[in-house]
């Protein structure tokens, strides 16, 4: 589709969505009435700005079925994720929603080279989490062979990769690095296993992390995007040119807003990604604030797809650290660390508040390699100075650096925990 045709489809679907939720979801009827907006006000895509936002708190406040837009008997599947409050965020799917989800993930996997001859090892978690199910549906739609191993049990993961000749695997990027580390401990060079591609997402990761994964595995590493609230993975994906993630705009309508003023930003300006689920039936969302920071660019891609793309995520608004007045995302620190010789791609940021000065204190724990840790103390001190100088020159920040032994920072088979905030604020 060219952009004019696609925008006409998007507008029609947004108007239909607004009409449906106003009639069927009391939450949205109230929000529309409070804003004084009706379906007749939506005459162009710019008019989407008139519609109310939806937040994760709204989803928790309406738990479990407060956002359901169809009769209960039409719901075929439910997924959810739990946040720090312990109240789950629920996503309910009709059969059409499941079909759309499969289509989005089929496009995602196809863009990474998958077809019916591909063996896909799915190391995302199955169950209520959307990662495992989303990949499974997409792989089934394109007719690929699926190994539904789920997350964890890393030695078995590697054995299955080798024995069943896996050609593409899916998991979080941090787990891909951990699997490579475990393979080497087992005396296996990950590059000899025979995998050719991987689709990684569910957490922000840097370009340097991609380079490390590709170097360790000898593969092409593709960034993919989605979140439970708006269906799961399959919302956006990289093609072979790895220059931004194509958004499946016929199903998810994207905007970028200033997270402070909530005003829309033009393509090319960095801000918070907002998504409207324009074909969702079960629990559709209007202008959902994802908290993910990125920007949209619409230059034509060499792959031939005409959809707009989002830049790889810089981080989340709730992950943003303010270190002595400088705004920094953990992925930026990761990007600066990777490439420093003697440093492993495992780190932890500890944020605390000094009881006497009432100022925030930030400590960066960095894992070093076996050889480096066994070196003389003066060499470790040199490495610490190199890390400090790199962070200062690239990010403009100064942090306390603590070098820790190899394998002391906890590994995760799912999303890596990079920040521990000890402040009581």
């Amino acid at each position: 589709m060219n952009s004019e045709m696609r925008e006409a489809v998007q507008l029609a679907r947004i108007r239909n969505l607004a009409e449906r939720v106003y009639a069927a979801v009391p939450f949205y009827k109230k929000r529309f009435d409070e804003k004084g907006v009706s379906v007749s006000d939506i005459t162009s895509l710019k008019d989407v700005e008139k519609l109310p936002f939806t937040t994760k708190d709204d989803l928790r406040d309406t738990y479990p079925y407060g956002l359901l837009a169809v009769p209960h008997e039409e719901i075929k599947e439910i997924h959810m994720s739990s946040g720090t409050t312990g109240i789950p965020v629920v996503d309910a799917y009709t059969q059409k929603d499941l079909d759309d989800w499969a289509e989005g993930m089929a496009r995602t996997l196809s863009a990474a080279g998958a077809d019916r001859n591909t063996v896909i090892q799915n190391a995302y978690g199955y169950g209520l989490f959307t990662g495992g199910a989303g990949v499974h549906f997409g792989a089934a739609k394109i007719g690929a062979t699926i190994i539904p191993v789920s997350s964890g049990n890393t030695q078995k993961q590697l054995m299955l990769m080798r024995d069943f000749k896996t050609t593409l695997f899916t998991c979080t990027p941090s787990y891909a690095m951990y699997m490579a580390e475990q393979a080497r401990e087992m005396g296996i060079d990950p590059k000899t296993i025979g995998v050719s591609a991987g689709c990684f997402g569910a957490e922000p990761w840097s370009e340097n992390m991609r380079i490390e994964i590709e170097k360790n595995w000898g593969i092409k590493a593709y960034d993919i995007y989605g979140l439970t609230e708006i269906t799961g993975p399959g919302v956006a994906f990289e093609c072979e040119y790895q220059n931004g993630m194509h958004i499946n705009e016929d199903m998810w309508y994207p905007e970028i807003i200033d997270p402070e003023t909530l005003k829309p930003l033009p393509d090319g300006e960095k801000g918070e990604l907002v998504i409207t689920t324009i074909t969702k039936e079960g629990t559709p969302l209007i202008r959902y604030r994802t908290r993910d920071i990125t920007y949209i660019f619409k230059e034509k891609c060499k792959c031939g797809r005409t959809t707009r793309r989002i830049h790889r995520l810089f981080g989340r608004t709730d992950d943003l650290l303010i270190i002595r007045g400088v705004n920094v995302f953990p992925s930026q620190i990761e990007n600066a660390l990777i490439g420093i010789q003697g440093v492993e791609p495992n780190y932890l940021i500890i944020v605390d508040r000094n009881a006497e000065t009432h100022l925030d204190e930030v400590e960066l724990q960095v894992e070093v390699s076996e050889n480096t840790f066994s070196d003389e103390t003066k060499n470790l001190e040199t490495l610490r100075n190199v890390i400090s100088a790199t962070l200062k020159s690239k990010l403009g920040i100064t942090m306390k650096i603590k070098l820790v032994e190899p394998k002391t920072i906890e590994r995760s088979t799912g999303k890596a925990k990079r920040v521990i905030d000890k402040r009581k604020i």
Side-chain angles (χ1 to χ4, degrees):
M1 264 187 204
N2 61 38
S3 59
E4 290 78 13
M5 291 173 63
R6 184 170 56 253
E7 287 172 7
V9 169
Q10 289 173 322
L11 179 59
R13 289 180 175 177
I14 289 169
R15 285 175 58 85
N16 177 266
L17 170 65
E19 191 171 348
R20 284 192 293 115
V21 298
Y22 187 82
V25 185
F27 168 86
Y28 276 121
K29 183 180 187 303
K30 181 182 178 184
R31 286 289 176 89
F32 276 47
D33 290 345
E34 287 173 349
K35 289 209 71 173
V37 63
S38 66
V39 178
S40 61
D41 296 323
I42 312 302
T43 60
S44 70
L45 286 179
K46 182 168 176 54
D47 291 331
V48 173
E49 300 169 13
K50 299 176 182 178
L51 297 174
F53 290 108
T54 311
T55 67
K56 183 172 282 191
D57 285 341
D58 293 330
L59 272 63
R60 290 178 174 139
D61 291 343
T62 55
Y63 172 87
Y65 288 127
L67 292 179
L68 208 62
V70 297
H72 195 280
E73 59 267 23
E74 292 186 29
I75 297 302
K76 302 303 179 187
E77 200 160 311
I78 287 175
H79 288 271
M80 64 186 74
S81 66
S82 295
T84 54
T85 66
I87 301 174
V89 169
V90 177
D91 198 350
Y93 305 74
T94 65
Q95 186 57 56
K96 181 182 179 301
D97 293 335
L98 294 175
D99 293 342
D100 285 350
W101 191 10
E103 172 65 24
M105 268 312 300
R107 296 176 191 178
T108 298
L109 296 167
S110 296
D115 57 26
R116 61 185 302 180
N117 298 309
T118 303
V119 178
I120 297 176
Q121 184 158 322
N122 187 8
Y124 279 118
Y126 278 71
L128 293 174
F129 175 60
T130 56
V135 172
H136 194 104
F137 295 152
K141 187 172 180 67
I142 62 176
T145 300
I146 310 163
I147 302 177
V149 66
S150 193
S151 57
N153 202 343
T154 306
Q155 292 191 1
K156 187 174 185 179
Q157 295 267 7
L158 295 164
M159 179 192 76
L160 294 177
M161 275 186 175
R162 181 192 60 207
D163 295 349
F164 290 91
K165 296 180 171 51
T166 298
T167 46
L168 184 152
F169 73 112
T170 65
C171 61
T172 61
S174 54
Y175 189 49
M177 289 295 294
Y178 179 56
M179 289 174 71
E181 181 184 281
Q182 287 291 293
R184 287 190 294 270
E185 288 192 3
M186 294 166 62
I188 301 169
D189 180 352
K191 292 194 288 292
T192 65
I193 293 177
V195 179
S196 59
C199 290
F200 308 115
E203 64 187 15
W205 52 307
S206 65
E207 186 61 29
N208 277 346
M209 174 72 91
R210 186 216 298 276
I211 293 169
E212 285 295 307
I213 290 173
E214 292 186 338
K215 184 173 68 176
N216 274 276
W217 284 94
I219 65 172
K220 200 160 184 174
Y222 293 86
D223 199 0
I224 67 174
Y225 178 73
L227 60 163
T228 299
E229 300 92 310
I230 59 171
T231 292
V235 175
F237 58 89
E238 282 187 328
C239 67
E240 65 267 32
Y241 292 99
Q242 298 174 302
N243 183 24
M245 290 181 280
H246 292 269
I247 311 165
N248 285 313
E249 289 189 86
D250 53 332
M251 293 183 276
W252 295 280
Y253 179 73
E255 303 172 74
I256 299 291
I257 65 167
D258 182 317
E260 299 296 329
T261 67
L262 306 186
K263 298 296 184 185
L265 297 173
D267 289 352
E269 286 197 31
K270 187 165 69 173
E272 180 181 346
L273 178 63
V274 170
I275 290 179
T276 299
T277 60
I278 61 178
T279 60
K280 193 84 159 61
E281 292 182 338
T283 46
L285 298 181
I286 288 180
R287 303 192 79 196
Y288 181 72
R289 294 186 58 186
T290 68
R291 300 290 183 180
D292 292 321
I293 301 298
T294 183
Y295 64 83
I296 293 174
F297 49 105
K298 58 181 179 182
E299 294 81 7
K300 289 183 179 179
C301 184
K302 289 186 287 186
C303 75
R305 292 174 179 85
T306 59
T307 50
R308 290 182 294 169
R309 288 165 285 158
I310 55 174
H311 187 277
R312 70 185 309 120
L313 302 185
F314 294 97
R316 293 176 54 81
T317 55
D318 39 11
D319 287 341
L320 179 67
L321 298 169
I322 302 176
I323 302 174
R324 291 172 174 80
V326 179
N327 293 351
V328 179
F329 289 105
S331 59
Q332 291 176 286
I333 294 174
E334 171 187 288
N335 203 45
L337 286 175
I338 293 178
I340 298 177
Q341 192 168 0
V343 169
E344 295 293 323
N346 298 297
Y347 64 95
L348 190 61
I349 303 165
I350 312 291
V351 185
D352 208 344
R353 180 158 290 176
N354 188 297
E356 296 180 2
T357 65
H358 303 291
L359 296 175
D360 290 345
E361 296 179 342
V362 183
E363 176 183 273
L364 176 63
Q365 296 184 4
V366 182
E367 238 180 60
V368 297
S369 63
E370 294 277 3
N371 292 338
T372 304
F373 199 79
S374 61
D375 280 348
E376 298 178 12
T377 304
K378 65 178 182 180
N379 293 332
L380 291 176
E381 187 60 34
T382 299
L383 178 58
R384 187 181 291 109
N385 292 336
V386 168
I387 294 171
S388 292
T390 300
L391 294 177
K392 182 67 176 176
S393 64
K394 290 188 175 182
L395 303 178
I397 59 173
T398 302
M399 307 171 70
K400 179 183 177 183
I401 308 297
K402 181 180 180 181
L403 302 181
V404 299
E405 293 182 52
K407 303 180 183 62
T408 54
I409 293 176
E410 185 180 359
R411 305 299 196 262
S412 173
T413 60
K415 298 182 182 183
K417 188 172 182 62
R418 299 301 194 190
V419 181
I420 294 178
D421 193 339
K422 294 183 176 180
R423 296 173 297 178
K424 292 180 172 59
I425 55 176

